[in-house]
Amino acid sequence: METTGRTLCRAGGRQLDPRGRWWSHRSIRGENKAPRRPYPEGTPMNNRKSRPVAASLILSVLAGTPVFPAFAQDGTAAKDCAALQETYPGLNGREIVVGISPAPANYSATDPNDPANIIGIEPDLLKAAGECLGFTFSYSKLDFAGLIPALQSGRIHIIAAGMYSSSERAKQVDFVEYMKAGEASIVQAGNPKGLTRMEDLCGTISAQVIGTVENEMLAKQSAACEAEGKAPIEALVFQSIDRAYAALAQKRADVVLTDAGVASYLAAQTPDKVQVGFGLATDFVFGFGIAKSDTELRDGLHASLARQHRSGAIPAALETWGFDPSQLIEPAIKTE
């Protein structure tokens, strides 16, 4: 298992440019630095029907130019935030530990300019919430499967890892939902096995990431294959999506199921080895995970995101990070 590191991110560490946009935040490193390990550069779309991420966005990230949406504190916003701080006083001055599992995606990813910095729509929304509610936060990098146990044990306070707020997960932790998600497959270039739907996966090898909802989808389909007298789906299990992708690119696996944005990004990196396959209709929604006992943090974050939604900040963030407007939802709390 990878060594867990923490990077201190203070909400006040950004500046507005003349056009009213936030400059990329440079995080302040804590004493326990995470190992400097490379992650793929760039950011993908996050829905198979959405437009590809603009090259200008990727270049602006690499060049260090401002890409964050405007979360300026005008008079109305300042009044709203003051009211929220009165409603949720325990959050003002609180230090929050955010659990992440950086992936090649535009919801939460490692900054290609600085592996100690985390960028994406989720960091932006949390920074805006921190500025409004008065909390600061640090990141704790974990394997995806370890995020919910870490939250339940109190090691972290928020999960921000592009996590789907499934009903099964909502039985363990609460979620503050903020955006719809898409789902797609990645197959070998040329799709040599002709995989165009889930039913075609009987007898194939799938590369899977521990703790993801895709595993449940594949297990259900594998059982259906066997019920029809066909070969089951063989699973190769990995700790992260980049390792699962590597298995596919090396032809050790036939298919990977993942978020549609991640699929589009990975396929664009090595079009000679892999391509986006069939899409899947789902009702998945992205959410920030919060312990069921931490109701003030849950409710305060929800109230802040609702304010960002009303002000147009969340729609602006979707556009900035290459998401489709159809993915916009009104923030909501999900609990089971």
Side-chain angles (χ1 to χ4, degrees), residues 6 27 40 131 136 172 191 210 226 249 266 282 305 309:
R6 292 184 179 178
S27 59
E131 290 169 354
T136 58
Q172 304 175 71
N191 195 10
I210 295 175
E226 292 187 281
L266 292 175
T282 72
L305 291 178
H309 178 82

Side-chain angles (χ1 to χ4, degrees), residues 198-204 217-235:
M198 287 291 287
E199 291 78 4
D200 294 336
L201 301 186
C202 300
T204 63
M217 298 166 62
L218 289 163
K220 182 177 179 180
Q221 180 56 51
S222 185
C225 292
E226 292 187 281
E228 296 177 3
K230 300 177 182 178
I233 301 171
E234 182 180 345

Side-chain angles (χ1 to χ4, degrees), residues 48 182-185 195-198 257-258 260 276-282:
R48 65 187 179 92
E183 189 75 13
S185 64
L195 307 178
T196 60
R197 55 179 186 162
M198 287 291 287
L257 293 187
T258 188
V276 176
F278 57 89
L280 295 166
T282 72

Side-chain angles (χ1 to χ4, degrees), residues 27 57 60 65 67 73 85 94 106 113 116 120 124 136 167 177 189 199 233 253 255 261 263 270 277 297 305 334:
S27 59
L57 171 62
S60 64
T65 56
V67 297
Q73 293 283 348
Q85 289 184 24
R94 182 176 171 183
N106 47 354
N113 289 324
D124 274 6
T136 58
S167 295
E177 300 175 325
E199 291 78 4
I233 301 171
V255 65
T270 52
L297 179 58
L305 291 178
K334 181 170 184 176

Side-chain angles (χ1 to χ4, degrees), residues 198-310:
M198 287 291 287
E199 291 78 4
D200 294 336
L201 301 186
C202 300
T204 63
I205 301 174
S206 66
Q208 305 177 16
V209 180
I210 295 175
T212 61
V213 296
E214 288 84 6
N215 297 359
E216 301 171 15
M217 298 166 62
L218 289 163
K220 182 177 179 180
Q221 180 56 51
S222 185
C225 292
E226 292 187 281
E228 296 177 3
K230 300 177 182 178
I233 301 171
E234 182 180 345
L236 293 181
V237 182
F238 300 92
Q239 293 285 349
S240 62
I241 185 62
D242 52 337
R243 298 173 192 173
Y245 158 75
L248 178 66
Q250 295 165 5
K251 297 186 178 181
R252 294 189 288 127
D254 302 308
V255 65
V256 173
L257 293 187
T258 188
D259 171 74
V262 175
S264 296
Y265 172 80
L266 292 175
Q269 303 311 298
T270 52
D272 59 324
K273 295 182 179 180
V274 304
Q275 68 182 55
V276 176
F278 57 89
L280 295 166
T282 72
D283 57 357
F284 295 149
V285 176
F286 287 117
F288 293 103
I290 298 175
K292 289 185 174 294
S293 60
D294 203 348
T295 55
E296 184 177 35
L297 179 58
R298 180 199 66 191
D299 295 346
L301 180 59
H302 172 252
S304 175
L305 291 178
R307 186 192 70 80
Q308 293 180 51
H309 178 82
R310 292 191 302 269

